[in-house]
Amino acid sequence: MGAGLRWPVLGAALAACLLAGRATAAELPIFDAHVHYSHDAWDSLPPKDAVAILRQAGLKRAVVSSSGDEGTQRLLAEAPDLVVPSLRPYRRRGDVGTWVRDDTVVAFLEQRLAQGRYAAIGEFHVYGADADLPVPRRLVALAKQHQLILHAHSDADAIGRLFQQDPQARILWAHSGFEGPEPVRDMLRKHRNLWCDLAFRSDQGAAGKVPAEWRAVFTEFPDRFMVGTDTFTPERWHYIVEHARWSRAWLADLPPALAERIAWRNGEALFAGWVPAPPK
Ligand SMILES: [Zn+2]
């Protein structure tokens, strides 16, 4: 295609964006609060290629955790400006369902925390009264000791128990607990240090529209929500770019200042304490 053709095409695309009222939103940076780079992902997608996807998606930063912490470390080494590292209590995929009763997880966490720097612990899965078992209790204590955010895939009951263990804890509620807007609102009213990611859910912005119930919660708590892809299987890495695009589309249905907060400002604010190591 010649230069003479390219510009009119671009111009038309830009005009279409402006007509759709999405010119600003289309350029929104995204803070992706929910990315995993687990052992089976880095076999098929090397760190360089993974980082290329994150950049192609226009991500400002991404909170990355992996089963087998090695994936997070590889990605962090490749892109320290982009990766916010979180420590999962999982050495392999199968730990998801057993870690709460597995004492050896504690030694794994302690050893990793002694050797490396992290912004958060998680994403971990815990439900109901299991949150009060000794291993999750120790995890909460370690987060407190190292001033780390907890990224919890939990029901409301478990979130309450985690806050009981450490009222000063800062918790990022993965998937907003897969709860509807009203229970999420109630939890946010109750817990000052609770933030919510909207990973792997679409009810808040299907077809580029934010339903009234969600709009009310976003408006009441403009500084508590963030988006996330959740690459829980390797295939989902190829969805990161599309997810960023999809997020920008529904965020454009909100006032620009609110959209910016959910897109990236809230993530940046919550993880402001994370400073990448200076280049060697
Ligand atoms: Zn996840």
Side-chain angles (χ1 to χ4, degrees):
M1 191 194 288
L5 273 174
R6 200 176 296 144
W7 287 108
V9 170
L10 263 181
L14 189 63
C17 283
L18 288 170
L19 281 175
R22 295 207 172 146
T24 317
E27 293 152 12
L28 261 188
I30 297 287
F31 184 105
D32 194 317
H34 201 134
V35 173
H36 304 296
Y37 189 53
S38 293
H39 50 86
D40 40 9
W42 39 269
D43 284 344
S44 55
L45 188 73
K48 257 195 190 5
D49 299 346
V51 166
I53 289 177
L54 300 180
R55 297 212 192 275
Q56 193 197 337
L59 299 193
K60 195 172 172 63
R61 295 211 280 178
V63 177
V64 177
S65 63
S66 25
S67 301
D69 187 46
E70 187 64 27
T72 304
Q73 299 308 322
R74 288 188 189 197
L75 220 53
L76 180 61
E78 189 65 36
D81 60 314
L82 202 57
V83 172
V84 179
S86 181
L87 177 60
R88 278 200 123 168
Y90 309 153
R91 292 146 298 186
R92 61 196 80 80
R93 198 169 275 285
D95 286 347
V96 174
T98 54
W99 77 277
V100 291
R101 290 185 173 79
D102 182 350
D103 289 341
T104 65
V105 166
V106 172
F108 170 73
L109 290 173
E110 288 174 343
Q111 176 246 328
R112 284 281 162 180
L113 290 169
Q115 286 177 358
R117 291 168 63 239
Y118 298 89
I121 294 188
E123 178 206 24
F124 57 85
H125 299 68
V126 71
Y127 306 96
D130 279 0
D132 286 329
L133 288 169
V135 177
R137 276 186 182 279
R138 184 69 188 130
L139 177 141
V140 172
L142 284 168
K144 184 184 169 86
Q145 183 190 334
H146 293 267
Q147 298 180 304
L148 303 174
I149 289 150
L150 292 165
H151 193 190
H153 183 138
S154 296
D155 52 7
D157 181 19
I159 294 290
R161 289 167 190 268
L162 298 174
F163 274 125
Q164 239 160 29
Q165 290 170 38
D166 177 12
Q168 305 304 319
R170 289 168 301 160
I171 300 180
L172 176 57
W173 197 10
H175 318 286
S176 307
F178 287 119
E179 288 286 2
E182 284 85 8
V184 170
R185 179 201 60 202
D186 293 346
M187 285 294 280
L188 289 170
R189 285 180 181 171
K190 204 156 144 190
H191 302 290
R192 197 161 45 89
N193 289 342
L194 182 67
W195 286 262
C196 294
D197 84 36
L198 296 160
F200 202 65
R201 56 185 304 161
S202 57
D203 54 318
Q204 78 280 10
K209 289 282 163 221
V210 180
E213 303 78 29
W214 273 116
R215 183 180 294 267
V217 187
F218 293 150
T219 306
E220 183 175 346
F221 297 100
D223 48 5
R224 307 270 207 105
F225 288 94
M226 52 200 81
V227 298
T229 304
D230 194 2
T231 50
F232 59 90
T233 59
E235 304 79 58
R236 282 189 62 83
W237 264 86
H238 300 287
Y239 181 63
I240 289 179
V241 176
E242 172 56 26
H243 176 266
R245 200 176 294 142
W246 179 80
S247 299
R248 290 182 185 104
W250 69 260
L251 286 167
D253 193 36
L254 295 173
L258 180 56
E260 260 187 19
R261 284 177 160 189
I262 298 173
W264 65 275
R265 286 189 190 278
N266 294 342
E268 284 295 319
L270 179 59
F271 288 92
W274 171 255
V275 182
K280 282 174 196 148

